[in-house]
């Protein structure tokens, strides 16, 4: 279009200012081309504003994910009043919104957060783990009454709308107990699902744009080229950032019945695949391999008869215990335990579930014992 306009200008200059039919025809054609360029510029400006605003939102959206356990502190018990729980063994703290010195998570922005916790303790005394919001309101609770000898595990979690500055902390209630060691039985974790920021829509200054359009055709051509380049850059960057890999899996042990070990540990293979977006989970080996560096949320649930110890232990890279769910024998019946956390994994890191020596786990086609996870965001 720009070459055609310049040719028209040259022809118009040669004809001079005479009011000939040829001059009027060229003048009319020049006006049509100018209006087309105006329309093209307005369309690109509108697309550019949308792309740059969305790119700004994606780039500036805070990354928030934390996971911590009570760690090697052993049994904590209260006989006189409530007690704040401080999860000092930090597994993940992207964004530094969790304070391991106080045990308090502070929401850095208004948004929807997923938070959860798991508590373990001997079953001869009441066990509790209570989440408080802003030091006053009970948000979630996991509580178990005494049930004889053995141990109990309980968990809870929810997606919560938090205002900027809202705090969450875990509390041990009066005359209850909780237990942990270096295998991370009792955990507290969470992550930002998405921010909620009310912004007034940008109002383009159409008068200024029209005045700019009228300056000259040469300047307009240059500006359109700059806009094309910015638009390509913004839309390309947005495409790269929003096309991060989709990774999500869920599988169960399925209809295999009881699995039990008497001689050494045993890798658990969850062959009944419910979801495997991205194919990062291998149902032949039971191993999940992180396809990219990022923060992943992983969790598992174990079920078994309560007449024998039950365990489900998550190993990272075949060596490091990442999370555990364990129940001691507690008579007749059955037990269920679960655990989960947001973990920072490097590309190629692996996670697998292991049944420890002299423990058991059970499942059938109803998916009692499961292993699942998904990518929150790449880094």
């Amino acid at each position: 279009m720009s070459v055609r306009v310049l040719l028209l200008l040259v022809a118009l200059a040669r004809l001079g200012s005479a009011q000939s039919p040829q001059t009027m025809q060229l003048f009319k054609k020049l006006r049509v081309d100018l209006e087309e360029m105006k329309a093209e510029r307005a369309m690109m400006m509108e697309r550019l504003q949308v792309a740059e605003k969305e790119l700004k939102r994606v780039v500036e959206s805070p990354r928030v994910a934390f996971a911590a356990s009570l760690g090697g502190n052993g049994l904590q018990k209260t006989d006189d009043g409530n007690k704040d729980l401080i999860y000092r063994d930090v597994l993940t703290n992207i964004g530094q919104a969790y304070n391991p010195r106080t045990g308090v998570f502070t929401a850095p922005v208004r948004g929807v957060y997923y938070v959860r916790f798991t508590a373990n303790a001997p079953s001869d005394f009441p066990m509790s783990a209570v989440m408080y919001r802003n030091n006053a309101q009970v948000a979630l609770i996991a509580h178990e009454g005494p049930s004889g000898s053995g141990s109990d595990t309980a968990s809870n979690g929810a997606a919560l709308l938090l205002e900027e500055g809202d705090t969450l902390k875990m509390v041990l209630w009066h005359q209850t107990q909780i237990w942990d060691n270096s295998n991370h039985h009792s955990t507290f974790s969470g992550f930002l699902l998405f921010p909620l920021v009310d912004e007034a829509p940008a109002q383009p200054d159409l008068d200024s744009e029209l005045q700019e359009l009228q300056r000259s055709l040469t300047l307009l051509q240059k500006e359109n080229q700059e806009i094309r380049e910015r638009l390509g850059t913004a839309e390309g960057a947005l495409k790269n950032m929003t096309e991060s890999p989709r990774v999500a899996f869920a599988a169960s042990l399925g209809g295999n019945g009881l699995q039990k070990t008497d001689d050494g540990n045993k890798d658990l293979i969850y062959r009944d695949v419910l979801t495997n977006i991205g194919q990062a989970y291998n149902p032949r080996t039971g191993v999940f391999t992180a396809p990219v560096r990022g923060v992943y949320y992983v969790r598992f649930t174990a079920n078994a008869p309560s007449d024998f110890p039950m365990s489900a232990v998550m190993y990272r890279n075949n060596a490091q215990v990442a999370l555990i769910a364990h129940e001691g024998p507690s008579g007749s019946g059955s037990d269920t335990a679960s655990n989960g956390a947001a973990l920072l994994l490097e590309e190629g890191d692996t996670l697998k579930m292991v049944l420890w020596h002299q423990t058991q786990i059970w499942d059938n086609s109803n998916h009692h014992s499961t292993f699942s996870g998904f990518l929150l965001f790449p880094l």
Side-chain angles (χ1 to χ4, degrees), residues 245-257:
R246 301 293 178 88
V247 181
F249 78 97
S252 73
L253 292 175
N256 300 321

Side-chain angles (χ1 to χ4, degrees), residues 266-268 270 281 285-289 300 312-320 322-323 350-354 371:
K266 175 184 177 180
D267 288 354
L268 291 170
Y270 296 73
Y281 172 72
T285 63
V287 175
F288 169 78
T289 304
F300 54 90
V313 186
M314 181 187 292
Y315 277 79
R316 179 173 181 169
N317 296 330
N318 294 313
Q320 178 186 357
L323 295 169
T350 60
L351 298 175
K352 70 175 182 179
M353 300 300 302
V354 174
F371 177 31

Side-chain angles (χ1 to χ4, degrees), residues 61-62 64 111-115 158-160 191-195 374 376-377:
S61 179
V64 182
V112 176
Y113 296 77
Y114 182 76
V115 290
L160 301 178
F191 48 85
L192 173 65
L193 286 172
F194 48 83
F374 49 86
L376 285 172
F377 47 81

Side-chain angles (χ1 to χ4, degrees), residues 33-34 36 50 63 70 155 165 169 177 187 255 270 290 353 356:
D33 287 344
L34 180 57
E36 288 180 357
V50 172
R63 301 293 176 89
L70 292 175
S155 64
K169 70 175 181 179
Q177 63 184 8
T187 59
Y270 296 73
M353 300 300 302
W356 269 356

Side-chain angles (χ1 to χ4, degrees), residues 7-264:
L7 289 174
L8 288 171
L9 285 172
V10 171
L12 188 59
R14 288 179 177 175
L15 290 171
S17 59
Q19 300 296 315
S20 64
Q22 295 89 345
T23 303
M24 295 305 297
Q25 186 177 359
L26 287 172
F27 190 73
K28 183 178 179 180
K29 181 61 177 174
L30 187 58
R31 278 187 171 178
V32 171
D33 287 344
L34 180 57
E35 291 303 319
E36 288 180 357
M37 293 186 72
K38 289 179 181 179
E40 180 189 17
R41 185 178 190 277
M43 179 189 67
M44 288 193 297
M45 284 297 295
E46 183 177 352
R47 287 175 56 196
L48 179 62
Q49 287 172 356
V50 172
E52 289 185 331
K53 182 178 179 181
E54 181 65 14
L55 181 61
K56 183 174 183 289
R57 185 191 68 80
V58 172
V59 170
E60 294 182 355
S61 179
R63 301 293 176 89
V64 182
F66 77 97
S69 74
L70 292 175
N73 299 321
L75 188 69
Q76 298 192 43
K77 195 170 182 178
T78 60
D79 296 313
D80 183 18
N82 298 341
K83 175 184 179 182
D84 289 354
L85 291 170
I86 302 177
Y87 296 74
R88 292 189 170 90
D89 197 344
V90 175
L91 308 176
T92 305
N93 199 9
I94 306 299
Q96 305 299 310
Y98 173 72
N99 188 334
R101 296 186 301 277
T102 64
V104 175
F105 169 77
T106 303
V109 295
R110 181 176 187 265
V112 176
Y113 296 77
Y114 182 76
V115 290
R116 65 160 288 123
F117 53 90
T118 297
N120 179 278
S123 53
D124 59 350
F125 196 77
M127 173 183 73
S128 77
V130 186
M131 180 186 294
Y132 276 80
R133 179 174 180 168
N134 296 330
N135 295 312
Q137 177 187 358
V138 174
L140 295 169
I141 185 172
H143 183 84
E144 293 277 353
S147 59
S149 61
S151 65
D152 269 325
T153 298
S155 64
N156 209 340
L160 301 178
L161 172 59
L162 301 180
E163 302 295 332
E164 182 179 350
D166 276 359
T167 60
L168 298 174
K169 70 175 181 179
M170 300 300 301
V171 174
L172 188 64
W173 269 356
H174 176 60
Q175 292 187 338
T176 63
Q177 63 184 8
I178 194 171
W179 180 87
D180 198 12
N181 65 9
S182 58
N183 287 331
H184 317 306
H185 294 256
S186 294
T187 59
F188 176 31
S189 64
F191 48 85
L192 173 65
L193 286 172
F194 48 83
L196 292 172
V197 181
D198 296 326
E199 296 181 353
Q203 298 295 329
D205 188 350
L206 296 180
D207 290 339
S208 298
E209 290 185 14
L210 289 174
Q211 291 175 4
E212 184 68 20
L213 284 171
Q214 294 167 354
R215 289 186 180 180
S216 71
L217 291 174
T218 304
L219 181 59
L220 185 58
Q221 180 187 5
K222 179 181 177 181
E223 288 178 352
N224 279 7
Q225 182 60 33
E226 291 175 352
I227 292 170
R228 287 191 191 92
E229 293 173 358
R230 287 175 57 194
L231 180 60
T233 300
E235 290 183 333
L238 185 60
K239 182 173 183 288
N240 291 335
M241 297 190 69
T242 56
E243 290 186 354
S244 61
R246 301 293 178 88
V247 181
F249 78 97
S252 73
L253 292 175
N256 300 321
L258 188 68
Q259 298 191 44
K260 195 170 183 177
T261 60
D262 295 314
D263 183 17

